[in-house]
Amino acid sequence: MERILTVNNSLKSVQHKKTALYVLIVYIIMQVSGRWLLLPFHKFVMNTTGLSHEQAAPITQGWYIALSFAIALILSLILTTRDKTFWDVYQGKKESIPLTIMWGVLGFFLVFFGQMIGAAIEMAVFGIEGGSQNTADIVAIAKGAPIAILAIVVFGPILEEFVFRRVIFGSLVQTTNFWVAAIVSAIFFALIHFDFSHILLYTICGLIFAFLYHKTKRIWTSIIAHIMLNGFVTLVQLNAEPLQKFLEELQKMQ
């Protein structure tokens, strides 16, 4: 009986590794696919709409981001659904659903304040001004093609949590320890955003997301926090001008 259990656990481990590898491959293909597919898609949009290159660019990028993230997420869901024990990274009881949601909401505030601390460090030590070019570019695309908001706020966070928290962190934490797994996954998470001046901010986010997953043993905790963070940043950025005018009017009234 003991030998049978050992063999079964070994087979499950191999299956987990295959699933993790397939999800990672899907994510990598999605990231690099724009090099080959974005230009033909851009020409297709121009030909079908009659728009100029400049007018079609944000529409093309917005729709491409939305579609590529959606397809990658669907494929990842299919892969992980087929492996029934893929999410059983930790032994023991998982946190209850209400506490999972509570930690997810709390995690949003932890990440938000963590970013504030990181921004202060960047400014004090490295002289890096606030504001992310990566965020600005994405928001500009969202303004041109609102469909991209789905990818920014929903598809992207879920897919990134699958890859960086379950595939990378979840694989490493089973053979090393929390800190090694969290730091490695957080650094990869930071690098993939290609905003190297703010790598500290993204690394802090990655560490907190890993902590939330580790704390509750449920990936939905970090997903909730990640969606709330991206949603908040997108909402603020899309309404930056009205908010600025409101604050100016508020100052005049004082």
Side-chain angles (χ1 to χ4, degrees):
M1 175 65 78
E2 184 177 346
R3 179 176 175 78
I4 293 174
L5 290 174
T6 302
V7 171
N8 287 338
N9 289 334
S10 178
L11 290 174
K12 287 180 181 179
S13 177
V14 171
Q15 181 61 39
H16 288 175
K17 290 177 181 178
K18 285 184 178 180
T19 303
L21 178 61
Y22 295 155
V23 171
L24 183 60
I25 289 173
V26 167
Y27 183 76
I28 292 172
I29 291 174
M30 182 210 70
Q31 288 287 343
V32 302
S33 64
R35 295 177 180 271
W36 307 295
L37 301 178
L38 189 57
L39 183 58
F41 186 59
H42 180 60
K43 291 180 178 179
F44 170 77
V45 172
M46 290 176 62
N47 292 334
T48 55
T49 62
L51 297 173
S52 66
H53 170 75
E54 291 76 14
Q55 292 172 323
I59 298 174
T60 300
Q61 291 174 311
W63 274 96
Y64 188 81
I65 289 173
L67 291 172
S68 60
F69 268 86
I71 292 170
L73 179 57
I74 290 169
L75 291 175
S76 297
L77 287 170
I78 292 171
L79 290 167
T80 55
T81 301
R82 291 173 61 187
D83 186 353
K84 301 298 183 183
T85 57
F86 180 69
W87 300 106
D88 295 339
V89 174
Y90 296 99
Q91 295 181 350
K93 187 178 179 181
K94 297 179 181 180
E95 202 62 85
S96 66
I97 300 299
L99 283 177
T100 295
I101 296 172
M102 184 199 76
W103 272 106
V105 175
L106 177 62
F108 160 70
F109 292 101
L110 290 175
V111 175
F112 185 76
F113 288 117
Q115 284 196 326
M116 290 178 63
I117 294 171
I121 294 173
E122 286 183 345
M123 183 63 188
V125 178
F126 305 106
I128 298 174
E129 296 288 344
S132 168
Q133 186 59 47
N134 177 66
T135 301
D137 292 341
I138 292 175
V139 171
I141 292 171
K143 288 181 178 179
I147 188 68
I149 295 174
L150 277 175
I152 298 167
V153 178
V154 182
F155 303 154
I158 296 175
L159 188 59
E160 288 179 352
E161 291 308 306
F162 278 23
V163 172
F164 296 101
R165 251 55 69 184
R166 172 52 188 94
V167 172
I168 299 178
F169 171 80
S171 297
L172 290 174
V173 79
Q174 296 179 69
T175 55
T176 57
N177 58 58
F178 169 78
W179 285 108
V180 171
I183 290 171
V184 171
S185 62
I187 290 174
F188 276 109
F189 176 70
L191 292 173
I192 202 65
H193 287 86
F194 300 104
D195 193 356
F196 301 114
S197 61
H198 294 294
I199 195 168
L200 177 62
L201 296 185
Y202 288 106
T203 301
I204 290 172
C205 291
L207 289 172
I208 296 174
F209 290 142
F211 163 75
L212 294 171
Y213 179 33
H214 186 74
K215 172 67 179 177
T216 63
K217 302 182 178 68
R218 290 186 185 273
I219 195 69
W220 278 106
T221 315
S222 56
I223 287 175
I224 291 170
H226 201 157
I227 286 175
M228 289 184 67
L229 177 67
N230 282 26
F232 176 78
V233 171
T234 302
L235 180 66
V236 170
Q237 291 290 332
L238 289 176
N239 295 278
E241 292 183 9
L243 283 173
Q244 183 63 34
K245 291 180 180 178
F246 172 76
L247 292 174
E248 291 174 356
E249 291 297 326
L250 196 62
Q251 289 179 345
K252 292 178 182 179
M253 294 172 61
Q254 293 178 349

